Amino acid sequence: MKEIRTEDAVGSVLCHDITQIIKDQKKGVLFSKGHVVKEEDIPLLLSVGKEHLFVWEKKEGILHENEAAQLLYDICAGKSMHGSDIREGKIELIADQDGVLKIRRDALLAVNSLGEMMIASRHGDFPVKKGDKLAGTRIIPLVIEKEKMDRAVEAAGNEPIFSILPYHEKKVGIVTTGSEVQKGLIQDTFTPVLRDKLYEYPTEVVGQTTPGDDKEQITADILKFIENGADMVICTGGMSVDPDDRTPGAIKDTGARIVTYGSPVLPGAMLLVSYYEKDGKSIPILGLPGCVMYAKRTVFDLVLPRVMADDEIMAEEIAALGEGGLCLNCKVCTFPNCGFGK
């Protein structure tokens, strides 16, 4: 720091907060640490008795917190997001579109492990909306060696740490299994729930079939939807291990690549995720357990956003859901702002 006359401080960076006290009216920060002094600030500074200021003295190889925050922002921000104004050496990343937030977790850990700098974010692989805050960056001290920031840039690699995958419009076919539904013995209460969840995204339900428990017919219905241009097929019911639950086998018989049958998530243990390859395109076929029909939040809420963003789901990612995979069925549901799926 160096001390200079306030009248000579235009363009300098404050090293400390400036407090303004007005009796019975105000006591608070007039200018924050890191503020760049402007010409119009001089009268205000003098009015609070600041005839001299302590400002940052620029030195070769040393970066101010604002400069360092900008570098951290540059290694973080992908497309479809922007940065906030720098305040007290901090920049926040804001989403410019709806989609699924993706995080290069190895790069995030590498940068945060360097010390004297930090990047804090929300959880990845979850939906975000335009205007949502994604992350914040800053260094810990007021100044930092440029060499340390160069190491951060190297640790982050060549790609942004954060990105947003946009949703894609999808035509969806629904295959409702179970002879009790086919014969009208019970009302189909599954499909209305499913439609409500799908309509939160850019989807069009192109049809629904009720093949009962006929395994061959379930397979044929799935393939017929794909032949007619469906971008996703969802099968409901018949996902248990009972002998008359035919849906998993029927999905397998389509020739689809089974990613997982089963997930360490409650509600949602009997989830099936698979992909059918056609003309170079991977078409998701999902088998949904019965809990999706009655539980407010299930494994379906965890996988649907990623499916809608064409973010292919891997078996190890499903396995990793075990920690955080227990929904607590809170009286007031705040999902996704809770621990479920994280």
Side-chain angles (χ1 to χ4, degrees):
M1 294 186 297
K2 66 177 180 179
E3 184 179 6
I4 63 173
R5 294 174 64 250
T6 298
E7 291 89 344
D8 300 329
V10 174
S12 298
V13 179
L14 293 177
C15 286
H16 56 91
D17 291 346
I18 303 294
T19 302
Q20 183 183 45
I21 301 175
I22 302 176
K23 188 177 184 299
D24 299 327
Q25 294 185 38
K26 175 184 178 183
K27 179 181 179 181
V29 176
L30 179 62
F31 296 109
S32 299
K33 179 185 70 171
H35 177 74
V36 179
V37 179
K38 302 178 179 63
E39 186 70 45
E40 57 267 30
D41 299 336
I42 302 301
L44 281 172
L45 289 164
L46 293 173
S47 74
V48 295
K50 296 299 180 182
E51 296 185 354
H52 293 81
L53 300 172
F54 286 96
V55 298
W56 180 53
E57 186 175 10
K58 179 71 173 177
K59 289 185 179 180
E60 188 69 27
I62 301 294
L63 300 178
H64 183 264
E65 62 179 355
N66 287 358
E67 296 174 296
Q70 184 63 52
L71 286 174
L72 287 175
Y73 169 78
D74 290 341
I75 65 178
C76 285
K79 296 179 180 178
S80 303
M81 61 187 73
H82 69 275
S84 65
D85 294 336
I86 303 179
R87 294 179 60 86
E88 299 178 346
K90 180 174 68 177
I91 300 180
E92 295 177 339
L93 281 68
I94 311 297
D96 289 334
Q97 67 175 16
D98 295 356
V100 172
L101 177 64
K102 300 296 293 184
I103 302 175
R104 293 175 50 238
R105 294 183 174 93
D106 55 343
L108 179 62
L109 177 60
V111 174
N112 280 332
S113 297
L114 292 174
E116 296 191 280
M117 63 191 72
M118 55 77 66
I119 304 167
S121 78
R122 62 169 62 205
H123 285 279
D125 294 332
F126 266 74
V128 295
K129 293 185 178 297
K130 181 179 179 180
D132 280 354
K133 185 189 302 183
L134 307 177
T137 72
R138 70 171 305 161
I139 61 168
I140 307 305
L142 177 63
V143 296
I144 193 170
E145 293 90 340
K146 181 179 181 300
E147 180 270 335
K148 292 182 179 178
M149 298 310 302
D150 290 341
R151 287 167 54 196
V153 173
E154 181 180 357
N158 296 324
E159 298 294 327
I161 293 177
F162 301 100
S163 58
I164 297 176
L165 298 181
Y167 301 128
H168 300 279
E169 293 186 6
K170 292 192 181 297
K171 296 179 179 179
V172 184
I174 298 175
V175 179
T176 303
T177 67
S179 60
E180 67 277 21
V181 177
Q182 182 190 46
K183 295 176 180 178
L185 299 177
I186 65 169
Q187 182 181 358
D188 175 16
T189 56
F190 205 137
T191 303
V193 173
L194 185 57
R195 286 178 182 267
D196 286 344
K197 289 185 180 291
L198 288 172
Y199 287 159
E200 294 179 13
Y201 300 90
T203 59
E204 175 191 356
V205 175
V206 295
Q208 178 185 9
T209 64
T210 54
D213 294 316
D214 186 326
K215 181 180 174 184
E216 292 183 359
Q217 188 60 52
I218 296 170
T219 299
D221 287 356
I222 295 170
L223 292 174
K224 187 67 173 178
F225 274 128
I226 293 174
E227 179 185 339
N228 290 339
D231 303 301
M232 171 172 35
V233 180
I234 298 178
C235 300
T236 64
M239 290 301 302
S240 187
V241 293
D242 296 335
D244 59 348
D245 285 331
R246 312 289 174 77
T247 308
I251 294 175
K252 183 178 180 181
D253 287 350
T254 65
R257 170 172 50 88
I258 307 297
V259 174
T260 183
Y261 173 35
S263 72
V265 177
L266 291 174
M270 307 308 288
L271 170 75
L272 188 150
V273 177
S274 66
Y275 290 93
Y276 184 90
E277 305 298 331
K278 179 185 178 185
D279 301 328
K281 181 180 178 182
S282 295
I283 299 172
I285 304 174
L286 303 180
L288 299 186
C291 61
V292 177
M293 175 172 50
Y294 58 81
K296 186 172 182 62
R297 295 298 179 183
T298 70
V299 70
F300 186 47
D301 297 286
L302 304 181
V303 301
L304 180 58
R306 295 188 59 187
V307 169
M308 291 302 305
D310 288 342
D311 184 22
E312 188 164 327
I313 298 169
M314 305 296 179
E316 56 269 24
E317 294 175 314
I318 295 294
L321 291 175
E323 181 179 0
L326 179 64
C327 177
L328 299 180
N329 298 310
C330 303
K331 290 183 178 180
V332 178
C333 179
T334 59
F335 181 86
N337 298 318
C338 69
F340 182 51
K342 300 166 183 172

